[in-house]
Amino acid sequence: MTLRRVNVVILVLLAVAFLIVIQRNLLNLNDFLKKETPVSGVILPFESDVSPGVRHDSKRTGDEIPVVVTASEERLGAVVAAINSIYHNTKANVVFNIVALNDTVDHLKEWLSRTRLNNVKYKITVFKPDVLNGKLSKDPKRLETLKPLTFARFYLPFYLPEAEKAIYLDDDVIVQGDIKELYETSLKPGHAAAFSDDCDSASIKGIVHGAGNQNYYIGFLDFKKEAIKKLGMRAKTCSFNPGVIIANLTEWRNQNISSQLEHWMELNAKQDLYSNTLADSIITPPLLIVFYKHHSSVDPMWHVRHLGSTGAGKRYSAQFVKAAKLLHWNGHYKPWGIKSAFSDIWEKWYIPDPTGKFSPLRRHSGGNIEGYA
């Protein structure tokens, strides 16, 4: 074999080796991307639509403040009241990122465009429930009561790919303070979110102390299960309420919070880690696990809650409720329902549905039992 032929063979072998290395690197990169993708098999749309009727309000100044809320058809009046209270209590440049299902979009857009909220800046994102496949218990009793949109908060960075920070709010809230103040909540380095701690809230005069173990991790997680034991968490650690979240979206992405939450959802579907606990919640437990001793705190006056619980009308003074920056009717009794505490505050911000499809039940029941709930 001549020297030239040897050189050719060597070049061919080097080329083959190079291609093999490239192929392996591509395979490894593919595996890496799969691991780093926050949502495996995500089918979040995004069918985003900024209403053409939205006009820039010249009175709104400063950088955009993203506020994420969900809008389900049966509770549409709630999110409208929440948006109204936020918008009219600030001069900040708020943009509402509304997560809804397909059957709600047209109704919501008409409600906003035909009322005094027609100047509100918003974007509607259609949430696809398919993303939850394989992540929820197959218990038929639980499936009947599950609302897909309650899990929307797990995927915050997907609605705001360019944002570094955002606020998430449940729909059953009324904001009485300037939302800019809440947005400016300081998060500790490395923290992806801030919540209101349940134990700390009891130290503020007028805030309801939760019942029994529902203020602690043991009220949400089954500490007899091996997967929970291995985490080494203290059962008496104070829990938090995820109805108000200040999210550092950069940290959320970097730490793959969404995929971590999905992992615990999937594990619970197989091992029932929290479905039968006292608190009877499937939203809070994965958040408690992922953010265990790794979250910042929200000022308690920016999350006065339990207004939807029995006896809230007697536990809270009118003066305290008036001074609160954010009111949350978590619990069974909603202010658009038949019985609720402080429903007059919610009514102040509610805007009647121009289509007539939604109407607070109280308007047909002829009364409100303030001391009942």
Side-chain angles (χ1 to χ4, degrees):
M1 182 179 293
T2 65
L3 181 60
R4 179 176 293 180
R5 289 184 178 179
V6 171
N7 289 337
V8 171
V9 171
I10 292 174
L11 288 173
V12 170
L13 291 175
L14 287 174
V16 171
F18 178 77
L19 291 174
I20 291 174
V21 170
I22 291 296
Q23 182 185 30
R24 286 180 178 176
N25 286 339
L26 288 174
L27 289 173
N28 289 336
L29 177 60
N30 186 49
D31 290 339
F32 175 79
L33 290 175
K34 286 181 179 178
K35 291 178 181 178
E36 293 300 303
T37 300
V39 189
S40 54
V42 65
I43 313 176
L44 291 182
F46 280 100
E47 294 177 35
S48 300
D49 179 20
V50 180
S51 170
V54 173
R55 299 185 297 275
H56 179 68
D57 189 339
S58 59
K59 296 179 181 179
R60 306 281 158 167
T61 60
D63 295 335
E64 290 186 351
I65 295 180
V67 176
V68 180
V69 292
T70 58
S72 58
E73 185 66 21
E74 69 276 11
R75 296 162 64 113
L76 210 51
V79 72
V80 168
I83 289 174
N84 189 33
S85 70
I86 295 167
Y87 182 73
H88 285 97
N89 279 310
T90 185
K91 294 298 182 184
N93 185 18
V94 179
V95 178
F96 294 95
N97 296 267
I98 307 171
V99 186
L101 299 178
N102 261 320
D103 60 359
T104 305
V105 174
D106 291 340
H107 185 187
L108 176 60
K109 289 175 65 176
E110 186 170 4
W111 199 330
L112 295 176
S113 65
R114 291 175 57 187
T115 64
R116 60 178 178 269
L117 294 179
N118 63 341
N119 275 331
V120 167
K121 294 172 67 175
Y122 68 87
K123 179 182 74 173
I124 298 176
T125 299
V126 177
F127 184 81
K128 294 293 182 66
D130 292 0
V131 74
L132 303 175
N133 290 346
K135 302 176 181 68
L136 302 176
S137 170
K138 295 182 180 180
D139 183 345
K141 293 181 180 179
R142 290 191 168 276
L143 288 174
E144 289 179 3
T145 59
L146 284 177
K147 305 298 182 184
L149 287 177
T150 60
F151 295 94
R153 74 197 80 189
F154 287 6
Y155 305 100
L156 293 178
F158 289 87
Y159 317 129
L160 300 156
E162 305 299 326
E164 296 182 359
K165 191 176 183 181
I167 297 172
Y168 166 84
L169 298 176
D170 276 353
D171 60 3
D172 52 351
V173 306
I174 289 295
V175 174
Q176 300 185 128
D178 187 338
I179 198 71
K180 184 178 180 181
E181 180 183 331
L182 180 61
Y183 183 74
E184 292 175 347
T185 296
S186 178
L187 275 68
K188 295 179 181 179
H191 285 184
F195 306 93
S196 291
D197 290 329
D198 291 323
C199 303
D200 290 346
S201 68
S203 66
I204 302 298
K205 184 178 180 181
I207 292 185
V208 180
H209 188 72
N213 289 324
Q214 292 194 41
N215 274 7
Y216 305 99
Y217 270 52
I218 195 171
F220 294 86
L221 297 164
D222 188 346
F223 279 80
K224 295 179 181 179
K225 295 297 175 69
E226 193 61 30
I228 300 300
K229 286 182 181 179
K230 289 181 178 179
L231 294 173
M233 300 185 300
R234 294 182 66 239
K236 280 293 185 178
T237 299
C238 181
S239 56
F240 54 77
N241 186 294
V244 174
I245 304 173
I246 313 302
N248 180 329
L249 299 180
T250 301
E251 284 293 343
W252 195 294
R253 296 183 190 99
N254 291 342
Q255 298 178 33
N256 295 315
I257 297 296
S258 296
S259 62
Q260 290 188 55
L261 293 169
E262 286 192 322
H263 166 74
W264 287 104
M265 291 170 66
E266 292 169 354
L267 203 58
N268 175 67
K270 298 173 182 176
Q271 301 181 19
D272 199 21
L273 303 178
Y274 47 79
S275 295
N276 296 317
T277 55
L278 173 66
D280 195 31
S281 170
I282 59 173
I283 298 297
T284 305
L287 288 162
L288 292 178
I289 294 172
V290 172
F291 287 101
Y292 178 68
K293 293 189 175 181
H294 199 65
H295 68 275
S296 299
S297 298
V298 171
D299 181 342
M301 293 303 285
W302 268 105
H303 195 178
V304 174
R305 48 200 183 277
H306 305 301
L307 271 69
S309 301
T310 302
K314 296 178 180 178
R315 290 192 181 102
Y316 291 91
S317 69
Q319 293 80 5
F320 176 78
V321 170
K322 183 178 180 180
K325 303 291 184 66
L326 184 148
L327 302 172
H328 187 186
W329 278 265
N330 60 311
H332 294 295
Y333 306 103
K334 305 301 183 184
W336 58 88
I338 296 176
K339 302 171 182 177
S340 170
F342 305 105
S343 59
D344 56 319
I345 295 177
W346 186 86
E347 290 274 3
K348 174 184 175 182
W349 298 105
Y350 172 69
I351 300 175
D353 182 2
T355 71
K357 296 176 182 178
F358 180 95
S359 180
L361 295 177
R362 188 176 303 103
R363 298 187 177 208
H364 300 293
S365 66
N368 172 35
I369 306 176
E370 289 293 343
Y372 183 86

